[in-house]
Amino acid sequence: LSSSSAASDVYKRQDYHVLKLENKKQLCYWCKSKNIKLILICNRYEDHDSELFESLKIQPKVIKCRGSLNRFFESTFEWSTKKTKFFVMWYRLTRNLFGEELLSRRIDNNLENIYHKSEKKADVTSDLVELLRSKVPTLAQAFCVQLVNEFLTRYNAETKALSFTSKSIHDLEEADIQKDIDFKELKPIQILSKAALINTSEKNASYPEFAFSKDFIKKFYMYHPVYKIVAWIDYMCSYMNVNLNDEQLQKLQDSFLSSRMIDLSNRFPMFIEGLIGTSIRSCEVAYLNTDFMDLQELKNNFERGFSINWKLAEKRWRKENITDLDLFDKLARKWQPSLTYINELNLRSLLRQSTKEHKIATIAVSLFEPRMYWYNAYYVAAWKLYCDQRLFTEPLESIQYQNYENKEVQVVDEKRLTFFPNKKFNKGIDLFNLFQWASIYGFNMFQVESPETFEKAFKEDLTYVCQAYYIISSKTGSRKEVEDKIIQIFSHAFAPLLDVGKLLSYEIGVKIAISRYPPLSKWPRSIKNICSIYYGKGNSGMLQELESTEFWPQLLVNNYFHTKEGQKLLVRILDLNLSQKWQETILYKSKGLIIPDECATVSVIKNFEAGLRSVYQHKKNISIHPNKFYKKLQRAKYLLFPTISNPILINRYHIVFVVERSTSMAEEDLIVTEIADSMISYPRTRLGVVYYAISKFIEKRSQMSIADSVSLIAFDKEAKTILRLEMCSFSLKEKISDCETRESTTRFSEAFNELNSLLQSSANENLNTMVIFITDGVSVEKSYLEILEEAFKHERKPFHFLAVPIGKMDISVLQQMTHCTSPYSSLLKNEPITDGKELCRRFEKVAENLSKYFFDTSTEIA
């Protein structure tokens, strides 16, 4: 054009979309200065183009060669339904398989000529193949022929169906969404065409777009093309609300493995006739040989659809550093995984040089995977983005965290746990994993504009993320994994930021405290004290310092002391010299607290003297869980304060013998050789030997001048109280003379019902209860354990249940009884007693040491 061009001069620019922004500006400035009308023919029209035209106040004519199928309908409303169907099916099939470049007005004329040719019954296969390969030259000839034949078959079938309906093409398009999808046809071409013809409306769901999307490429960029194709088909089916099951997906995979496929990085793979692929573990990739240091050439090859031989590229880039940040940034934008092939130091250097105009840090973050701890350069990129963006992002909302069990707990939005919740690149690195890494390697890697503001904002994010993850893990069942990460975060460089009680729960604080020894010097004092106590290095002074904190009540509320670690911490605390305030807190301000049985020793019990005195003086109730330790405390209270009605101090007992007298007790199989002369008045049956042993027990207690009471219950299938609260004396032996057995079965439930009645009738007696249960067999029913447990459930006075096995019985029967009456129960021997002399000796030993069954922790007395 001459310098004096008239206003009617027109400049037509083909492929406007391929121009760089700088060239577009030059073109627009020139046209404006020369008063030339501008016609732009392009595939794409970007937002910055509109901004450019508005800034220069020009109005060029823009002709878009690509568009949606809906726009295509708008310009073809005058066409016949059959012709529209031909165009729609072709554009949909080719666009969904090969990308947006196939949906172009540039091929309308050729496609229309082919359509008219087909209407004349001519073979148009070669024409469509030529048209297809002109746009996608990487496709194999044989594959194109098969695809075109499949297209024509489906087109003819659908147009035939159109002749039987009066519906418009728009109605049919809507009906397409309701079609059932199945893949019973297992030929690859048939499967591909069926999936590609699914109506996705305006959505670009093409294979290249799907396989090259950031979400997909992060996981699948190095996978076999079969994986990518099957995943794409599954994705397309979602538009029909169809979810393929594992069996269907496996069939699809097997079907495509029957073809040889060569993968292309950002295009549809090449299907080659000939060799058959049988393995999913490897695949062929098409690439062009080039100089791997020529980044511009690599980028051009990639844009043409070819890949790069990444093995050779990595080998070269490990030896030589890439120095052109701008070009490498452009290459990374085209193919994100390229960042994984340069050496770590080189990548770190490029990241440090990068500015906000570059996308290399954002791309590195998009490739980040939590498992890649060995590749710290990705963390560097994430940390740089975090530091750059945090000062310009609104702070995260402050949240008051409550117990998860509380229904009022605030639900945490998981989307807030990633980078930049209010920014356009919101698919960033997981903050939790970033903080875990940064806690080890430090968080001052990059300078920030305002260190104080940054540290405050950073601490907000850190505590928010830790607490939020802890709450979420309670729902997902992954708490142990999350706890480990939180502990690691505060066990390194972030130790000074540990803030328990405000933004982090006390339970998390304790878990951090017990994670290591010795404690970190930068931990808060309360955390260091807990750490020392847990590892047995604590003292009473540390406990006193904890009195002013909320650790104890908060841990009680969250049932922390029910855990294995909590029980260990509790044992360590009770081993220390407790102040009266601590004793009172444990005894009647810790409702339901379970104190381990191993603490039920004389030394620990005596450690609660001041607390027990407070309980007695203020008429408080001991509120801890009523287990073995609780029973020991109750007995200690009687010993310490004689003014209380004290059965142990008086040393009086109610001894209840519960003796089986069923048929089996008539057997004479016990060894009585050494006691035969002294048991002349007793038969040599099992029952006779038992009664003789009982007489020896009474004789021993009588010799000790102790005013005990004795009861005796005999049972078989029925139970009867033979003696009821008889004074223990030498003359009592004469009342134990009915040694006759009964021909009957055994029912333990009858014995325990009778025992329950006896104990209730003697409830007002100021006596300790010792039940000695003697049997040689098993019961015919199973409900007796519940009755036995009920007999002692409401027994407030000290008691003990001693089980005595004799003859040839199954010891597990009595083990179940002692278990349900635990902790105050024991077996006289861990195997049945078969010697009469041994039974007498053990009974006399029990009689001598009866009080030890009620206070000492040991039950190995007899």
Side-chain angles (χ1 to χ4, degrees):
L1 293 171
S2 65
S3 58
S4 59
S5 299
S8 59
D9 289 337
V10 175
Y11 178 69
K12 181 177 70 173
R13 172 64 196 187
Q14 286 272 14
D15 294 330
Y16 172 78
H17 60 278
V18 302
L19 293 178
K20 296 180 181 179
L21 180 58
E22 182 180 337
N23 300 131
K24 291 178 179 179
K25 289 179 179 179
Q26 291 176 348
L27 174 63
C28 291
Y29 277 122
W30 181 77
C31 289
K32 180 178 175 62
S33 64
K34 302 299 182 183
N35 197 23
I36 296 176
K37 291 182 179 180
L38 186 59
I39 299 177
L40 304 176
I41 303 173
C42 57
N43 291 341
R44 297 179 301 278
Y45 187 67
E46 309 290 351
D47 291 339
H48 62 73
D49 292 322
S50 299
E51 295 173 0
L52 176 61
F53 301 151
E54 289 178 6
S55 65
L56 295 177
K57 296 181 180 181
I58 61 174
Q59 296 180 334
K61 176 67 175 177
V62 179
I63 301 174
K64 295 182 182 178
C65 294
R66 294 183 190 170
S68 66
L69 288 174
N70 285 355
R71 290 176 183 170
F72 180 80
F73 288 148
E74 294 173 3
S75 60
T76 58
F77 62 90
E78 75 282 358
W79 287 5
S80 67
T81 303
K82 191 175 181 182
K83 179 179 178 181
T84 304
K85 191 67 177 175
F86 182 87
F87 273 75
V88 168
M89 284 187 67
W90 177 260
Y91 278 135
R92 179 170 294 148
L93 173 74
T94 55
R95 176 243 203 166
N96 284 342
L97 282 178
F98 312 119
E100 288 290 287
E101 60 190 274
L102 270 298
L103 192 62
S104 174
R105 288 294 189 183
R106 291 188 175 92
I107 63 174
D108 278 358
N109 291 335
N110 291 336
L111 195 58
E112 187 166 5
N113 292 334
I114 294 172
Y115 167 74
H116 289 304
K117 185 177 178 180
S118 70
E119 286 296 289
K120 297 177 182 178
K121 308 301 181 182
D123 185 7
V124 295
T125 303
S126 59
D127 300 289
L128 287 173
V129 169
E130 183 179 353
L131 180 63
L132 188 58
R133 295 199 69 199
S134 67
K135 300 298 293 184
V136 191
T138 56
L139 295 178
Q141 176 77 17
F143 172 81
C144 292
V145 171
Q146 292 178 36
L147 184 65
V148 166
N149 286 335
E150 184 63 24
F151 162 75
L152 292 173
T153 300
R154 292 185 181 276
Y155 165 71
N156 290 329
E158 294 212 19
T159 52
K160 186 176 181 180
L162 279 174
S163 63
F164 296 100
T165 180
S166 59
K167 292 183 178 181
S168 68
I169 185 63
H170 301 280
D171 295 331
L172 292 174
E173 283 296 305
E174 187 66 27
D176 277 347
I177 301 178
Q178 307 300 327
K179 284 183 180 179
D180 291 331
I181 291 294
D182 64 79
F183 290 102
K184 294 179 181 178
E185 308 154 331
L186 293 180
K187 293 182 179 180
I189 294 295
Q190 293 173 319
I191 296 171
L192 286 171
S193 61
K194 179 174 284 191
L197 287 170
I198 291 175
N199 182 3
T200 61
S201 188
E202 291 285 318
K203 176 72 174 179
N204 180 4
S206 68
Y207 171 86
E209 177 68 20
F210 172 77
F212 197 58
S213 66
K214 290 183 179 179
D215 292 338
F216 187 79
I217 203 171
K218 180 177 177 181
K219 186 175 181 182
F220 284 95
Y221 71 89
M222 62 179 66
Y223 283 5
H224 196 289
V226 166
Y227 277 136
K228 294 191 278 189
I229 283 183
V230 171
W232 172 73
I233 292 173
D234 188 30
Y235 172 69
M236 293 293 287
C237 288
S238 66
Y239 285 97
M240 309 291 287
N241 295 320
V242 174
N243 294 317
L244 301 181
N245 57 39
D246 292 342
E247 182 180 357
Q248 291 171 312
L249 293 173
Q250 185 62 49
K251 285 184 178 180
L252 286 175
Q253 177 179 301
D254 295 342
S255 175
F256 282 102
L257 277 175
S258 65
S259 301
R260 180 187 176 195
M261 300 171 64
I262 300 178
D263 196 28
L264 293 170
S265 56
N266 62 348
R267 295 191 179 221
F268 192 79
M270 300 169 63
F271 278 75
I272 307 296
E273 290 289 332
L275 296 176
I276 303 298
T278 57
S279 172
I280 203 75
R281 297 183 179 180
S282 61
C283 68
E284 298 174 275
V285 180
Y287 69 92
L288 295 178
N289 288 320
T290 186
D291 179 1
F292 297 108
M293 301 308 294
D294 188 344
L295 302 182
Q296 183 63 52
E297 182 65 20
L298 289 178
K299 175 177 170 291
N300 293 341
N301 289 342
F302 193 82
E303 288 175 343
R304 291 166 57 196
F306 292 98
S307 184
I308 296 172
N309 189 331
W310 294 113
K311 290 184 178 180
L312 296 179
E314 181 179 21
K315 188 176 180 180
R316 179 76 177 273
W317 291 345
R318 293 291 176 181
K319 295 179 179 179
E320 297 183 44
N321 286 338
I322 292 173
T323 56
D324 193 328
L325 173 60
D326 292 335
L327 271 178
F328 187 72
D329 187 69
K330 292 176 182 178
L331 176 64
R333 294 188 196 198
K334 289 293 180 182
W335 185 242
Q336 289 92 332
S338 58
L339 269 67
T340 64
Y341 296 107
I342 68 174
N343 69 70
E344 182 177 345
L345 293 177
N346 192 186
L347 181 55
R348 280 174 177 262
S349 174
L350 293 172
L351 288 168
R352 288 193 175 93
Q353 297 173 44
S354 64
T355 66
K356 293 181 181 179
E357 299 297 324
H358 297 103
K359 297 298 182 184
I360 184 172
T362 307
I363 295 169
V365 168
S366 72
L367 290 174
F368 172 83
E369 291 185 19
R371 292 186 295 273
M372 297 176 67
Y373 294 126
W374 55 272
Y375 210 13
N376 293 327
Y378 290 124
Y379 290 96
V380 173
W383 195 251
K384 175 165 185 176
L385 278 179
Y386 178 83
C387 293
D388 287 345
Q389 296 294 326
R390 190 59 184 87
L391 295 179
F392 308 102
T393 308
E394 295 179 5
L396 293 171
E397 298 174 1
S398 122
I399 294 181
Q400 296 298 321
Y401 295 100
Q402 305 173 40
N403 179 18
Y404 175 64
E405 301 300 329
N406 190 327
K407 293 182 180 179
E408 297 179 358
V409 67
Q410 182 165 348
V411 177
V412 179
D413 183 359
E414 296 186 47
K415 294 180 181 178
R416 301 293 302 275
L417 303 180
T418 52
F419 270 143
F420 328 118
N422 301 319
K423 297 291 182 178
K424 59 181 180 181
F425 37 94
N426 56 1
K427 293 184 178 179
I429 182 178
D430 188 305
L431 275 179
F432 200 28
N433 290 295
L434 169 64
F435 291 151
Q436 186 185 9
W437 169 82
S439 69
I440 302 173
Y441 295 97
F443 54 90
N444 294 318
M445 186 172 295
F446 296 95
Q447 289 185 340
V448 291
E449 297 174 16
S450 174
E452 292 180 359
T453 305
F454 177 78
E455 184 172 337
K456 180 181 177 182
F458 172 71
K459 185 176 179 180
E460 248 181 48
D461 287 358
L462 178 63
T463 50
Y464 171 85
V465 166
C466 288
Q467 193 69 15
Y469 259 91
Y470 197 68
I471 294 175
I472 292 171
S473 69
S474 301
K475 300 178 183 180
T476 62
S478 59
R479 175 173 285 194
K480 178 64 170 63
E481 180 183 350
V482 171
E483 284 176 355
D484 291 343
K485 290 185 178 181
I486 293 176
I487 288 168
Q488 187 182 48
I489 285 175
F490 291 103
S491 296
H492 295 284
F494 293 162
L497 303 180
L498 181 57
D499 190 357
V500 178
K502 294 183 179 179
L503 293 172
L504 285 179
S505 72
Y506 287 92
E507 184 179 358
I508 294 178
V510 173
K511 290 180 182 294
I512 294 170
I514 67 176
S515 65
R516 53 165 293 144
Y517 186 83
L520 295 178
S521 60
K522 294 184 179 180
W523 274 349
R525 191 170 184 82
S526 58
I527 297 295
K528 290 192 285 187
N529 288 342
I530 292 175
C531 177
S532 298
I533 293 171
Y534 183 83
Y535 286 97
K537 307 295 183 181
N539 54 55
S540 55
M542 294 178 179
L543 273 181
Q544 286 183 327
E545 289 183 15
L546 288 174
E547 285 180 2
S548 59
T549 70
E550 287 293 311
F551 267 100
W552 186 266
Q554 289 297 324
L555 294 179
L556 280 175
V557 168
N558 292 309
N559 295 320
Y560 175 72
F561 291 114
H562 291 180
T563 66
K564 183 179 179 181
E565 294 80 9
Q567 289 277 283
K568 181 178 177 181
L569 178 60
L570 192 54
V571 171
R572 297 296 193 191
I573 290 175
L574 296 183
D575 282 341
L576 299 175
N577 186 17
L578 301 177
S579 66
Q580 181 173 336
K581 184 176 179 181
W582 263 104
Q583 294 177 43
E584 292 173 352
T585 298
I586 293 173
L587 290 179
Y588 57 85
K589 296 180 181 179
S590 305
K591 186 176 181 180
L593 177 66
I594 299 176
I595 297 181
D597 288 348
E598 64 184 279
C599 295
T601 62
V602 175
S603 60
V604 174
I605 297 295
K606 288 182 177 179
N607 204 13
F608 280 88
E609 182 174 349
L612 288 171
R613 182 173 287 106
S614 176
V615 169
Y616 170 62
Q617 291 174 347
H618 297 95
K619 297 181 180 180
K620 299 284 187 179
N621 291 321
I622 299 176
S623 62
I624 63 175
H625 184 75
N627 60 355
K628 186 174 182 178
F629 185 84
Y630 171 85
K631 301 296 184 183
K632 293 281 188 179
L633 282 175
Q634 292 285 22
R635 286 154 179 73
K637 185 172 67 172
Y638 288 127
L639 285 172
L640 291 169
F641 312 111
T643 55
I644 304 176
S645 181
N646 188 344
I648 291 182
L649 194 62
I650 299 173
N651 208 22
R652 292 187 60 215
Y653 297 89
H654 178 200
I655 301 137
V656 183
F657 293 99
V658 184
V659 184
E660 182 183 344
R661 63 177 181 182
S662 65
T663 306
S664 60
M665 292 294 284
E667 293 189 24
E668 299 181 0
D669 57 350
L670 297 184
I671 301 172
V672 296
T673 307
E674 297 187 35
I675 60 173
D677 294 341
S678 57
M679 58 174 295
I680 297 174
S681 58
Y682 295 90
R684 299 191 178 189
T685 62
R686 292 179 180 176
L687 185 59
V689 175
V690 168
Y691 276 12
Y692 176 70
I694 292 174
S695 70
K696 301 298 288 183
F697 181 98
I698 294 173
E699 182 180 327
K700 178 62 69 174
R701 291 298 291 177
S702 300
Q703 290 172 357
M704 299 171 67
S705 301
I706 299 174
D708 294 332
S709 294
V710 177
S711 297
L712 188 147
I713 298 173
F715 73 94
D716 41 81
K717 67 178 181 180
E718 299 175 348
K720 182 180 180 181
T721 301
I722 307 298
L723 300 175
R724 182 186 297 273
L725 292 168
E726 296 282 349
M727 183 67 69
C728 183
S729 63
F730 288 99
S731 60
L732 183 61
K733 296 194 297 179
E734 298 176 2
K735 295 184 179 182
I736 307 175
S737 57
D738 183 10
C739 300
E740 292 186 8
T741 59
R742 301 180 63 177
E743 293 187 6
S744 176
T745 55
T746 304
R747 297 182 70 88
F748 291 159
S749 60
E750 294 297 321
F752 296 144
N753 277 325
E754 188 72 12
L755 174 64
N756 198 2
S757 299
L758 177 64
L759 294 179
Q760 289 183 18
S761 65
S762 62
N764 294 328
E765 299 292 331
N766 193 21
L767 300 169
N768 309 304
T769 303
M770 176 65 152
V771 177
I772 302 177
F773 182 80
I774 308 165
T775 183
D776 69 346
V778 296
S779 179
V780 296
E781 27 71 81
K782 303 294 184 183
S783 61
Y784 57 85
L785 291 176
E786 297 176 4
I787 301 172
L788 174 61
E789 192 173 4
E790 185 66 24
F792 292 104
K793 186 174 182 180
H794 304 294
E795 184 68 17
R796 290 298 179 188
K797 300 185 297 298
F799 72 88
H800 193 92
F801 180 85
L802 180 65
V804 182
I806 64 171
K808 301 176 181 178
M809 66 171 296
D810 182 2
I811 197 73
S812 64
V813 176
L814 296 185
Q815 288 174 338
Q816 291 176 348
M817 293 184 189
T818 56
H819 178 74
C820 77
T821 54
S822 177
Y824 288 97
S825 58
S826 57
L827 278 169
L828 187 64
K829 188 179 179 182
N830 289 326
E831 59 184 7
I833 298 172
T834 58
D835 190 319
K837 181 181 179 181
E838 181 187 2
L839 180 62
C840 293
R841 181 186 63 78
R842 286 180 177 271
F843 268 32
E844 289 176 338
K845 193 74 172 176
V846 172
E848 289 177 359
N849 301 280
L850 201 56
S851 63
K852 293 185 178 180
Y853 281 90
F854 292 82
F855 194 78
D856 281 5
T857 56
S858 173
T859 56
E860 297 295 331
I861 297 172

